[in-house]
Amino acid sequence: MHLPPAAAYSVGRSPHHAGAIGVFAITDIAEIAWVVQSGWSFPGVLAVLVVAAVVIFASWSWWHSACGVLRWSGQRWMWSGWPRAVSIHVNCLLDLQGYCLVRLTDHDRASVWIALHARPGEVAPWQAMRRALVASAGVGNLLLDGDC
């Protein structure tokens, strides 16, 4: 079995996540205007509070999202966020060509979810990372696990 060559991809805060926060914030502003204009009803105020809570939680989650570099050495995965981890397991849970939701797990069973997304002008690194994700799916880390 031939695995893809080494690849590295920088992971930052997702612009898609930020866009969703913006949509919810605009929705909340529109709800506030509607509640003020139509009178302060309990369901209206409750809807405003629920959407505001969603915006606050999503903003906190976005700000504290994992950032680092995901590397495929050609035989194993590494994550810069865990410098002591020799290798990690990578599970791609959602692959939409230009966006991947990935779960990283180390041998101590710590895990983190990251969103990988294609950035304009970085076609080659994105294709290399996707190639590594797809080719290594289900293979594990060959040098450590031997479960290919």
Side-chain angles (χ1 to χ4, degrees):
M1 171 184 232
H2 295 289
L3 293 175
Y9 206 72
S10 180
V11 178
R13 292 183 185 100
S14 172
H16 304 100
H17 190 162
I21 293 169
V23 168
F24 278 110
I26 290 170
T27 301
D28 202 34
I29 292 168
E31 278 184 322
I32 291 170
W34 177 73
V35 167
V36 168
Q37 194 174 40
S38 66
W40 294 90
S41 65
F42 178 74
V45 171
L46 183 62
V48 166
L49 293 176
V50 166
V51 175
V54 167
V55 169
I56 290 168
F57 176 74
S59 299
W60 181 89
S61 174
W62 178 79
W63 187 256
H64 289 92
S65 59
C67 298
V69 177
L70 181 62
R71 292 186 193 285
W72 167 252
S73 70
Q75 295 182 319
R76 71 177 83 183
W77 287 101
M78 292 163 276
W79 171 244
S80 66
W82 295 326
R84 290 188 209 135
V86 175
S87 69
I88 59 172
H89 288 283
V90 174
N91 297 330
C92 184
L93 300 167
L94 177 66
D95 185 354
L96 301 175
Q97 302 287 325
Y99 182 87
C100 294
L101 182 61
V102 178
R103 182 176 177 209
L104 311 178
T105 309
D106 72 354
H107 291 289
D108 294 332
R109 298 291 179 226
S111 67
V112 66
W113 293 68
I114 59 172
L116 300 173
H117 55 89
R119 292 185 288 268
E122 294 186 19
V123 175
W126 174 249
Q127 289 177 342
M129 181 53 60
R130 281 210 60 244
R131 201 173 301 122
L133 282 170
V134 170
S136 68
V139 172
N141 292 303
L142 297 179
L143 292 179
L144 296 178
D145 297 340
D147 62 346
C148 49

